Amino acid sequence: MKFLKYLLYFLLGFIVLFLAAGVLKPSVNYGHEIIVDKPLKEAWAVHKDKSKYDQWLEGFKSMELISGEQGEIGSQYRVVVKPDEEQPDFEMIETIVDKKKFDFIRLDFDSDMMFFEQTTSFSEIEGKTKVKTESKVSGKNIFMRSMFAWMELLGGSFQAQEEKNIEGLKRVIEGNTTVYNLEN
């Protein structure tokens, strides 16, 4: 009987500790910065080229416009990703919240379990381009907020994924051979 009592205390303590993380850290902030050996306008064009997303966004499957005008503030897209082979497809609604051509773009992503914000900024440095992301993810309930807080605390999951994707973007930008109309 004592064993069950201590087991119950342990489980209760574990649950309280797990949920406390979501209360104390309701969102996770992370980001990454790269310098690419390409001009700013070309880096911007490659970054917004949907045909190249699967080359640098791990698990990217598809993106379709569902409302608004393509590439304009307020437009919304259905984005489908497959985190890994064992998991089902994951769907999000992306909204372009703000942007300034060749400077930055701010996107919001909404799904059943989370809300995600990302700003990607571009600046020219001596003929090269600095690309910097600032991201924030928040779970939509205490369980998801707690899980995200522990994922970042124990393994830096969100930061690691951001670094992997943005380093992938660097490879795609620097290897780009597509000729873009750089005035758009």
Side-chain angles (χ1 to χ4, degrees):
M1 193 62 149
K2 266 187 171 181
F3 173 75
L4 289 177
K5 180 175 141 181
Y6 289 122
L7 180 61
L8 182 60
Y9 286 148
F10 172 77
L11 290 175
L12 186 59
F14 177 78
I15 290 169
V16 168
L17 183 62
F18 177 79
L19 295 176
V23 171
L24 297 172
K25 190 165 180 61
S27 60
V28 175
N29 296 295
Y30 54 97
H32 192 59
E33 184 177 300
I34 56 174
I35 304 290
V36 294
D37 195 12
K38 289 282 188 163
L40 182 138
K41 288 183 176 182
E42 183 176 354
W44 173 269
V46 172
H47 176 266
K48 68 179 204 150
D49 185 344
K50 288 187 292 188
S51 72
K52 295 183 186 286
Y53 285 178
D54 65 341
Q55 296 174 35
W56 63 274
L57 289 170
E58 187 173 49
F60 177 82
K61 287 186 73 175
S62 66
M63 179 177 187
E64 68 175 302
L65 179 67
I66 56 175
S67 71
E69 192 174 324
Q70 183 75 40
E72 295 302 316
I73 294 172
S75 59
Q76 292 189 316
Y77 304 83
R78 179 174 292 105
V79 178
V80 178
V81 296
K82 186 169 185 72
D84 64 45
E85 290 302 317
E86 288 78 47
Q87 295 180 340
D89 289 354
F90 179 72
E91 186 176 298
M92 302 174 283
I93 302 301
E94 172 191 292
T95 303
I96 299 178
V97 176
D98 197 9
K99 77 175 191 175
K100 182 177 177 190
K101 190 172 169 181
F102 306 124
D103 187 17
F104 73 92
I105 186 163
R106 179 165 168 246
L107 306 171
D108 284 353
F109 296 85
D110 194 0
S111 75
D112 291 339
M113 68 175 146
M114 70 176 191
F115 185 72
F116 167 61
E117 305 168 27
Q118 183 177 62
T119 300
T120 305
S121 57
F122 298 78
S123 56
E124 196 158 27
I125 302 171
E126 300 173 4
K128 296 181 181 184
T129 304
K130 178 169 81 170
V131 181
K132 179 180 179 181
T133 61
E134 296 175 8
S135 302
K136 177 181 175 181
V137 65
S138 306
K140 286 196 170 177
N141 58 51
I142 186 65
F143 178 78
M144 294 309 296
R145 287 190 296 271
S146 298
M147 188 172 78
F148 292 164
W150 282 107
M151 285 170 61
E152 193 61 21
L153 180 68
L154 296 176
S157 300
F158 292 102
Q159 181 65 39
Q161 187 63 52
E162 186 87 341
E163 290 174 11
K164 187 174 186 178
N165 286 340
I166 301 306
E167 291 297 328
L169 175 61
K170 177 178 180 161
R171 285 188 301 279
V172 172
I173 292 171
E174 290 182 342
N176 179 56
T177 58
T178 304
V179 177
Y180 295 97
N181 176 356
L182 298 177
E183 297 311 310
N184 292 325

